[in-house]
Amino acid sequence: MNAFHYHHDQLQVEDLPLADIAREFGTPCFVYSAEALTKAFTAYQNAFSALDPLICYAIKANSNLSILQLFARLGAGFDIVSGGELARVLAAGARADKIVFSGVGKSAAEMKMALEAGIHCFNIESVNELLRLNEVAGKLGLKAPVSLRVNPNVDAMTHPYISTGLKDNKFGIAFDMAFDVYREAAALPNLQVTGIDCHIGSQLTDASPLVEALDRLLALIDRLDEAGITLQHVDIGGGLGIRYSDETPPDLAAYASQIEQRLAGRALKLVMEPGRSLVGNAGVLLTQVEYLKLGESKNFAVVDAAMNDLLRPSLYSAYHGILPVEQHANLSPLLCDVVGPICESSDFLGKNRELAVKEGDLLAVMSAGAYGSTMSSNYNTRTRAAEVLVSGKETRLIRRRETLDELLANEKALLQ
Ligand SMILES: *Cc1c(COP(=O)(O)O)cnc(C)c1O
């Protein structure tokens, strides 16, 4: 059964009515299912078991400490993109040697932090970054493990804002330049060339571009091997999509078997960096209807969650299902836009939805576990939402709702 399901006319998470959570913790509130998180991770482990991969959860999708801990206990490694994220995963008790560090703009300070922690690998995105890392490692008397993020120039066929593997993207080292950059890396004294990686985009609903990207990397690996540069791991990135409405995400087992075929007989450790597919459908954003505003040409359900809580609809015109927490059989549905209180026309969570709701009702914005809380902001001086993790009937508040005092604290300090 889906972790989020109706029991009679009440929407539940696992064994608990969402209405109970709203009563105890207030709204807006992110609610996650521990079971759904666990199932998503073990599905990867099971599908890829023959390859014994290092599954590095890309924490920018959802970096709550409790969620990191849950994945760490299941054996996850982590993919990080900043010094802040490094501090987070270490605070969650992650093993440093299971961390890969991605991102185009690593500062010298971030490199130093990661070197001192002893991470598994730096995913390097440019020649100048390579030179900087060599210098930072040299000062510390350390050898930095590096992988080059190669841009395989494969079209992920997803939204342009989340497509990263094409020539014009800021990410990665161009495929045609990669061989020479590897030779340069291998000649630098404070670097240890250990792997190769790519990440071509997010929310992919077809796995074939991912497989095509791997084929390109393998061809390069062979060429490097002939030149005396032998890599130990290949990192295929993340990017597998989830179902928001009617998408059919790639079948994990079928994807895994394609990867398995290609890695058969090679002494290459598989690393991967899934984000969205581990957390996206394990969370919802719980919100309350403040007003029903009936208009001449449009109706609106004005709710207490907004684009500052869940930016994806405003940023990418992304679709999220929106379900009433209580179903009313006797209420006729209203065609409406579900909007927040923020002073922007782009502040919407859903458009043209048929919802049988009245003021005061609760709504669940579905598939909000990925790129929800991590992209949230304080725009319009709104405090960030609470986050609750549910297991069975048990709730754990894993992030307190931010207070206005906390929000103003840094500014007050400057006036004293
Ligand atoms: C964002 C990101 C991921 C995770 O992508 P998903 O689509 O959420 O799986 C993996 N690797 C890198 C380098 C990323 O930037």
Side-chain angles (χ1 to χ4, degrees), residues 33-46 55 71 74 252 274-282:
S33 155
E35 184 192 19
L37 293 165
T38 304
K39 273 191 182 161
F41 189 79
T42 51
Y44 267 91
Q45 282 178 316
N46 294 337
I55 306 169
F71 285 138
L74 294 171
L252 210 48
R276 186 191 313 270
S277 51
L278 291 179
V279 290
N281 275 327

Coordinates of all heavy atoms in Angstrom, one line a residue, residues 33-46 55 71 74 252 274-282:
S33 N 7.1 9.8 5.4 CA 6.8 8.4 5.8 C 8.2 7.7 5.9 O 8.9 7.6 4.9 CB 5.9 7.7 4.9 OG 6.1 6.3 4.9
A34 N 8.5 7.2 7.1 CA 9.8 6.5 7.3 C 9.8 5.2 6.4 O 10.8 4.8 5.8 CB 10.0 6.1 8.8
E35 N 8.6 4.6 6.3 CA 8.5 3.4 5.6 C 8.7 3.7 4.1 O 9.5 2.9 3.4 CB 7.1 2.8 5.7 CG 6.9 1.5 5.0 CD 5.4 1.1 5.0 OE1 4.5 1.9 5.1 OE2 5.2 -0.1 4.7
A36 N 8.2 4.7 3.6 CA 8.4 5.1 2.1 C 9.8 5.4 1.9 O 10.4 5.0 0.8 CB 7.5 6.2 1.7
L37 N 10.5 6.1 2.8 CA 11.9 6.4 2.6 C 12.7 5.1 2.6 O 13.6 5.0 1.7 CB 12.4 7.3 3.7 CG 11.8 8.7 3.8 CD1 12.1 9.4 5.2 CD2 12.4 9.6 2.7
T38 N 12.4 4.3 3.5 CA 13.2 3.0 3.6 C 13.0 2.2 2.4 O 13.9 1.6 1.8 CB 12.7 2.2 4.9 OG1 12.9 3.1 6.0 CG2 13.5 1.0 5.1
K39 N 11.7 2.1 1.9 CA 11.4 1.3 0.8 C 12.1 1.8 -0.5 O 12.6 1.0 -1.3 CB 9.9 1.3 0.5 CG 9.2 0.2 1.2 CD 7.7 0.1 0.7 CE 6.9 -0.9 1.4 NZ 5.5 -0.7 1.3
A40 N 12.2 3.1 -0.6 CA 12.8 3.7 -1.8 C 14.3 3.4 -1.8 O 14.9 3.0 -2.9 CB 12.6 5.2 -1.8
F41 N 14.9 3.4 -0.6 CA 16.4 3.1 -0.6 C 16.6 1.6 -0.8 O 17.5 1.3 -1.6 CB 17.0 3.6 0.7 CG 18.5 3.5 0.7 CD1 19.2 4.5 0.1 CD2 19.1 2.4 1.2 CE1 20.6 4.4 0.0 CE2 20.5 2.3 1.2 CZ 21.3 3.3 0.5
T42 N 15.9 0.8 -0.2 CA 16.1 -0.7 -0.3 C 15.8 -1.1 -1.7 O 16.4 -2.1 -2.2 CB 15.4 -1.5 0.8 OG1 14.0 -1.1 0.7 CG2 15.9 -1.3 2.1
A43 N 14.9 -0.4 -2.4 CA 14.6 -0.8 -3.8 C 15.9 -0.6 -4.7 O 16.1 -1.4 -5.5 CB 13.5 0.1 -4.4
Y44 N 16.6 0.5 -4.4 CA 17.9 0.6 -5.1 C 18.9 -0.5 -4.7 O 19.5 -1.1 -5.6 CB 18.5 2.0 -4.7 CG 18.2 3.1 -5.7 CD1 17.1 3.9 -5.5 CD2 19.0 3.4 -6.8 CE1 16.8 5.0 -6.4 CE2 18.7 4.4 -7.7 CZ 17.6 5.2 -7.5 OH 17.3 6.2 -8.4
Q45 N 19.0 -0.7 -3.4 CA 19.9 -1.8 -3.0 C 19.6 -3.1 -3.6 O 20.5 -3.8 -4.1 CB 19.9 -1.9 -1.5 CG 20.6 -0.8 -0.7 CD 20.5 -1.0 0.8 OE1 19.4 -1.2 1.3 NE2 21.6 -0.8 1.5
N46 N 18.3 -3.4 -3.7 CA 17.9 -4.7 -4.2 C 18.1 -4.8 -5.7 O 18.7 -5.8 -6.2 CB 16.4 -5.0 -3.9 CG 16.2 -5.2 -2.4 OD1 17.2 -5.5 -1.7 ND2 15.0 -5.0 -1.9
I55 N 25.8 3.8 -3.0 CA 24.6 4.7 -3.3 C 24.7 5.9 -2.5 O 24.5 5.9 -1.2 CB 23.3 3.9 -3.0 CG1 23.2 2.6 -3.7 CG2 22.1 4.8 -3.4 CD1 22.1 1.7 -3.3
F71 N 18.9 7.2 6.2 CA 19.6 6.6 5.1 C 21.0 6.1 5.5 O 21.5 5.1 5.0 CB 19.7 7.6 3.9 CG 18.4 7.9 3.2 CD1 18.1 9.1 2.8 CD2 17.6 6.8 2.8 CE1 16.9 9.4 2.1 CE2 16.4 7.0 2.1 CZ 16.1 8.3 1.8
L74 N 20.9 2.7 6.8 CA 20.6 1.7 5.8 C 21.8 1.5 4.9 O 21.8 0.6 4.0 CB 19.4 2.2 4.9 CG 18.1 2.2 5.6 CD1 17.0 2.9 4.6 CD2 17.6 0.9 6.0
L252 N 13.3 0.3 -12.1 CA 14.6 0.3 -11.5 C 15.4 -1.0 -11.9 O 16.6 -1.0 -12.2 CB 14.4 0.4 -10.0 CG 15.5 1.0 -9.2 CD1 16.0 2.3 -9.7 CD2 15.0 1.2 -7.7
P274 N 21.4 9.1 -6.5 CA 20.0 9.4 -6.6 C 19.5 10.4 -5.5 O 20.0 10.4 -4.3 CB 19.3 8.1 -6.3 CG 20.3 7.3 -5.5 CD 21.7 7.8 -5.9
G275 N 18.7 11.3 -5.9 CA 18.1 12.3 -4.9 C 16.6 12.2 -4.9 O 16.0 11.4 -4.0
R276 N 16.0 12.8 -5.8 CA 14.5 12.9 -5.9 C 13.8 11.5 -5.7 O 12.8 11.4 -5.0 CB 14.1 13.4 -7.3 CG 12.6 13.7 -7.5 CD 12.3 14.0 -8.9 NE 13.2 15.0 -9.5 CZ 13.0 16.3 -9.5 NH1 11.9 16.8 -9.0 NH2 13.9 17.1 -10.0
S277 N 14.4 10.5 -6.4 CA 13.7 9.2 -6.4 C 13.7 8.5 -5.1 O 13.0 7.5 -4.8 CB 14.3 8.3 -7.5 OG 15.7 8.2 -7.4
L278 N 14.6 9.0 -4.1 CA 14.6 8.4 -2.8 C 13.6 9.1 -1.8 O 13.2 8.5 -0.8 CB 16.0 8.4 -2.2 CG 17.1 7.6 -2.9 CD1 18.4 7.8 -2.2 CD2 16.7 6.1 -2.8
V279 N 13.3 10.3 -2.1 CA 12.5 11.0 -1.1 C 11.2 11.7 -1.7 O 10.3 12.0 -0.9 CB 13.4 12.2 -0.5 CG1 14.4 11.6 0.4 CG2 14.0 13.1 -1.5
G280 N 11.2 11.9 -3.0 CA 10.1 12.7 -3.5 C 8.7 12.2 -3.1 O 7.9 13.0 -2.7
N281 N 8.4 11.0 -3.3 CA 7.1 10.5 -3.0 C 6.9 10.0 -1.6 O 5.9 9.4 -1.2 CB 6.6 9.4 -4.0 CG 6.1 10.1 -5.3 OD1 5.4 11.1 -5.2 ND2 6.3 9.5 -6.4
A282 N 7.9 10.3 -0.7 CA 7.8 9.9 0.7 C 7.4 11.1 1.5 O 7.3 11.0 2.8 CB 9.2 9.4 1.2

